[in-house]
Amino acid sequence: MIKKCYPDVGFQMFVQTKDHSSIDRLSPAFLAYIGDAVYELYVRTAYLLPPRKLADYHNQVVAQVRAETQAAALQQLQPYLTETEKDIVRRGRNATTSHPRRLKPEIYQQATSLETLIGYLYLRDSQRLNEILKSLV
């Protein structure tokens, strides 16, 4: 059995601001861009131990960060989201206008929605972000 380490999102480099209204006005595309990076770094860190071949490590990470897995993760989270979080997810879904050919549009929208939520929580509420990430990975 593979043991995962669950890092706190203590790597947060964004300057904490009391001006939450500025964060609330960020575009869903920006939030998804940040959320994608945060999620991948979190997953990479979670699968870091125990040490193994780089190819095995890479395959595990890719399996977690692919759009299909993110879409399924969002479905799993839906019942536990607050109304504000559901609104962020909706904004992320509505902001996607294109998708890769290999994916159905709704899968890509759901994956982008999850990334938008992660980006938002990264900037607004790292404690809640930790709760969500630990439940997903």
Side-chain angles (χ1 to χ4, degrees):
M1 182 170 157
I2 296 174
K3 182 178 178 182
K4 298 177 194 171
C5 97
Y6 294 102
D8 284 339
V9 187
F11 58 83
Q12 187 171 0
M13 300 300 285
F14 189 82
V15 176
Q16 294 294 329
T17 178
K18 299 292 182 201
D19 184 13
H20 291 297
S21 64
S22 294
I23 294 170
D24 293 341
R25 288 191 305 265
L26 292 173
S27 76
F30 178 79
L31 294 172
Y33 177 74
I34 295 297
D36 176 56
V38 170
Y39 187 61
E40 182 157 347
L41 183 57
Y42 185 86
V43 171
R44 284 179 180 223
T45 306
Y47 284 103
L48 198 58
L49 296 174
R52 58 190 151 280
K53 293 180 185 173
L54 192 56
D56 295 339
Y57 171 72
H58 175 75
N59 291 336
Q60 285 185 309
V61 170
V62 168
Q64 285 292 316
V65 299
R66 64 183 304 130
E68 296 87 347
T69 306
Q70 289 180 348
L74 180 63
Q75 293 303 312
Q76 172 190 337
L77 279 178
Q78 283 287 358
Y80 307 104
L81 297 179
T82 66
E83 288 306 313
T84 300
E85 293 165 350
K86 288 177 183 178
D87 185 53
I88 295 298
V89 166
R90 181 192 51 75
R91 287 178 54 208
R93 181 191 67 234
N94 292 340
T96 58
T97 56
S98 64
H99 61 90
R101 287 184 184 170
R102 70 176 187 83
L103 291 174
K104 293 179 181 179
E106 54 273 6
I107 297 293
Y108 188 70
Q109 288 174 327
Q110 291 172 356
T112 302
S113 295
L114 178 67
E115 292 170 349
T116 303
L117 176 63
I118 290 171
Y120 176 80
L121 291 174
Y122 174 74
L123 297 173
R124 284 286 308 257
D125 189 350
S126 60
Q127 183 177 359
R128 177 68 172 152
L129 176 61
N130 278 324
E131 292 171 17
I132 286 177
L133 290 175
K134 285 179 181 180
S135 74
L136 294 179
V137 179

